[in-house]
């Protein structure tokens, strides 16, 4: 099996105790795209930045895009973020964790975890797609 965000992030989220944002960051580390400290940075973005705002999987994905393509790189992180956002909202309509999980009142329930694993998977897939598309342009 090829290692990519889709194959790694959901596993970290469902099986290894990483949060939504941490699972995306941990996948980036395993793929050799980031240093391990990114996982600790991503912790604060879990559960919608702790307040239910921006989905943690989205936050983690945008961190990765910024790390790879932000200032002092090719500086296309903002355009990638916009494209990421458009693809995610096409699937889920919103990026607000509170709205995405409105039907799951118990934050720690298995049902919510399974539901959120879909967000992690979709974010991982979008990341894989965007990065593959960039490689093809080079």
């Amino acid at each position: 099996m090829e290692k990519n965000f889709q194959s790694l992030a959901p596993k970290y989220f469902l099986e290894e105790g990483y949060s939504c944002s941490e699972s995306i960051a941990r996948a980036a580390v395993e793929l050799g795209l980031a240093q391990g400290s990114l996982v600790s940075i991503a912790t604060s973005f879990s559960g919608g930045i702790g307040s239910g705002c921006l989905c943690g999987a989205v936050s983690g994905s945008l961190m990765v895009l910024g790390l790879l393509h932000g200032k002092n790189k090719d500086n296309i992180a903002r355009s990638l973020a916009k494209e990421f956002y458009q693809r995610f909202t096409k699937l889920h309509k919103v990026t607000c964790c509170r709205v995405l999980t409105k039907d799951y009142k118990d934050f720690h329930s298995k049902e919510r975890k399974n539901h959120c694993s879909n967000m992690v998977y979709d974010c991982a897939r979008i990341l894989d797609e965007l990065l593959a598309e960039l490689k093809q342009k080079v």
Side-chain angles (χ1 to χ4, degrees):
M1 174 191 267
E2 178 187 354
K3 281 188 178 183
N4 56 26
F5 282 96
Q6 290 174 83
S7 69
L8 296 171
K11 177 184 71 146
Y12 291 132
F13 183 73
L14 287 171
E15 300 172 17
E16 298 191 22
Y18 288 89
S19 72
C20 46
S21 54
E22 293 167 342
S23 63
I24 297 289
R26 180 67 186 97
V29 171
E30 183 157 337
L31 292 169
L33 302 173
Q35 294 184 3
S37 59
L38 184 62
V39 177
S40 294
I41 293 167
T43 299
S44 298
F45 294 83
S46 303
I49 313 171
S51 68
C53 289
L54 182 62
C55 168
V58 171
S59 296
S61 300
L62 297 179
M63 282 184 238
V64 170
L65 291 174
L67 181 66
L68 298 176
H69 298 286
K71 285 212 184 302
N72 302 321
K73 306 278 175 125
D74 54 14
N75 206 26
I76 59 170
R78 285 189 179 105
S79 63
L80 290 171
K82 181 178 180 180
E83 180 63 25
F84 183 96
Y85 177 85
Q86 288 172 340
R87 292 183 191 194
F88 187 87
T89 55
K90 185 176 182 181
L91 295 170
H92 299 286
K93 308 293 184 241
V94 297
T95 58
C96 176
C97 178
R98 198 177 308 116
V99 175
L100 290 166
T101 60
K102 70 182 180 330
D103 296 331
Y104 305 93
K105 301 303 178 208
D106 180 0
F107 185 84
H108 299 289
S109 72
K110 183 177 179 161
E111 294 79 17
R112 180 184 168 127
K113 184 91 168 171
N114 287 333
H115 175 72
C116 289
S117 71
N118 294 320
M119 301 324 133
V120 171
Y121 177 82
D122 287 340
C123 286
R125 183 179 50 75
I126 294 167
L127 267 178
D128 284 333
E129 290 171 359
L130 286 174
L131 295 176
E133 290 166 16
L134 280 174
K135 269 187 174 176
Q136 289 177 348
K137 289 179 182 178
V138 176

